[in-house]
Amino acid sequence: LNIYKEKNFFHWELEFPEIFYRGEKKKENPGFDVVIGNPPYVKEYVNKEAFDGLRNSPYYKGKMDIWYFFACEGIDLQKENGFLGYIAQNNWVTNYGASIMRNKVMQETKILNLIDFGDYKIFDTAGIQTMIMIFKKENEVDNYILDYRKLNYSKSATFQDALDILSKKKNKKIEYLTPRINREKYIDKPITFGNKKVEEILDKILEEVNFKLDNKKEVAQGIVYPQNFLNKKNQQILGSDFEVGQGIFILSDMEKKSIPFTKEELELIKPEYTTKELFRYYANSKNKHWIIYTDSSFKDLNKINQYPNIKKHLNQFKEVITSDNKPYGLHRARDEKFFKGEKIISVRKCSEPTFTYTDFDCYVSATFYVIKSERINMKYLTALLNSKLISFWLKHKGKMQGNNYQIDKEPLLNIPIKKPSEENQKSFIKLADKMLALNKSLKEIKDDIEEKLKIEKGIRDTDKEINRLVYELYELTDEEIEIVEKAIK
């Protein structure tokens, strides 16, 4: 305490001991009338040290941002009926790592305002999407109305649009909603809103659910390398004998051929795929890159001795490899079963939800999620997931970054899947097969423009038929279909 006084620090807890409550004095001290601020944004994978001392907190969760702590602590520091006002990143409403914060907000506060600036960057020096949020500390009132504002079409948004949303002026780029909050409805769920008719459709879709993907057994993120190719920063560390783009854990065809791998070593060299080979429905099985698939068991340095050429290759990059299993193991190899055989691969960030069916070994990075289930037909599920109805769901109940979808694990697990009888799945499977064949033909055509246009029309028509079947499956009316189609458009 003397250090603080000598150096003239301003320390809130010393200046306001009657308001900061701890332990037995909690009941005596009322807390702040107002907590306001712009908390710091730090993700744990970017700066682990920032979280030192915080991991035993009840507010800690993997994949979180440190500002979620500030929100939870801010709520704790409020007096009853006090207010918290923050401007912070807008993705907390759907982010997996923010689930503890969301539940605390929902259970202990009344949300008064959410003003979402979408993709418009409020801070010139930070490329982040922000939201103003105002919470009142009280948990007695339920089924209340909140003031929700969202700036859409934010790629073309201006500073004047930002002023308009604050003043609640009429503006075609801005959506003003007054959603009703039922606290229990949003516990352990994302906080997303649409207009009344949209919400009614979303509720109707939810009523049809009879199948849920298993979190651990059926859905997994792709591999975290951590170093796939040599970047400029690490090339400067290693010196001029190395070139930017050299393969570390990922090898090109040429690099693979230039290393005299043994038969045993080739068993660890797996085909790696990217968005250049993985498309909506169809995947080109001809890969251009290969991954050295060494799991956490390679943390035992003796194991690599069985693979001398892999060891020699990785030894060149030892100084810059940062894996938890360095220098010979991938950072996160994942369960290999997800990369083998029949599965669906989903791109995390996309302008349109993109689900790819593959039935061959296909290893992917953390840019993707993989769905693999023996409880549901994978071709049926591919057709369902690529439908407009699921795009509509993900747009309103998933996770959006501006106008782009971010299909992380939580949105994937919350997709409302309806599994019909095997007989009723046959029409979907037949159309999925047709989509796979048409997309394959389209990728193989080079110069025949007329044939290309014919195939593209076939894809559109087949898409339309799949969407029709999905609408029927979820029993949507013509009016509801029109709302869905308009929202996606």
Side-chain angles (χ1 to χ4, degrees), residues 271-300:
E272 198 249 7
Y273 292 82
T274 69
T275 51
K276 292 181 179 179
E277 295 88 32
L278 302 175
F279 311 99
R280 188 166 172 266
Y281 281 98
Y282 169 70
N284 183 353
S285 60
K286 295 177 182 178
N287 61 300
K288 296 176 182 176
H289 290 94
W290 304 83
I291 179 170
I292 300 173
Y293 190 79
T294 46
D295 59 24
S296 58
S297 67
F298 281 82
K299 196 166 187 176
D300 177 357

Side-chain angles (χ1 to χ4, degrees), residues 226-291:
Q227 282 77 26
N228 48 2
F229 304 103
L230 187 63
N231 60 28
K232 188 175 180 180
K233 180 182 176 183
N234 286 335
Q235 186 262 350
Q236 289 172 349
I237 294 170
L238 295 176
S240 58
D241 289 341
F242 294 83
E243 294 181 9
V244 173
Q246 268 186 269
I248 301 179
F249 279 98
I250 299 295
L251 305 174
S252 66
D253 272 329
M254 189 179 296
E255 286 171 325
K256 181 193 171 196
K257 289 173 184 175
S258 69
I259 301 172
F261 291 122
T262 64
K263 184 181 178 181
E264 290 74 19
E265 287 175 323
L266 286 172
E267 290 179 5
L268 291 180
I269 311 298
K270 307 292 186 178
E272 198 249 7
Y273 292 82
T274 69
T275 51
K276 292 181 179 179
E277 295 88 32
L278 302 175
F279 311 99
R280 188 166 172 266
Y281 281 98
Y282 169 70
N284 183 353
S285 60
K286 295 177 182 178
N287 61 300
K288 296 176 182 176
H289 290 94
W290 304 83
I291 179 170

Side-chain angles (χ1 to χ4, degrees), residues 262 264-265 302-308:
T262 64
E264 290 74 19
E265 287 175 323
N302 292 318
K303 187 169 182 178
I304 197 67
N305 292 330
Q306 304 169 49
Y307 309 95

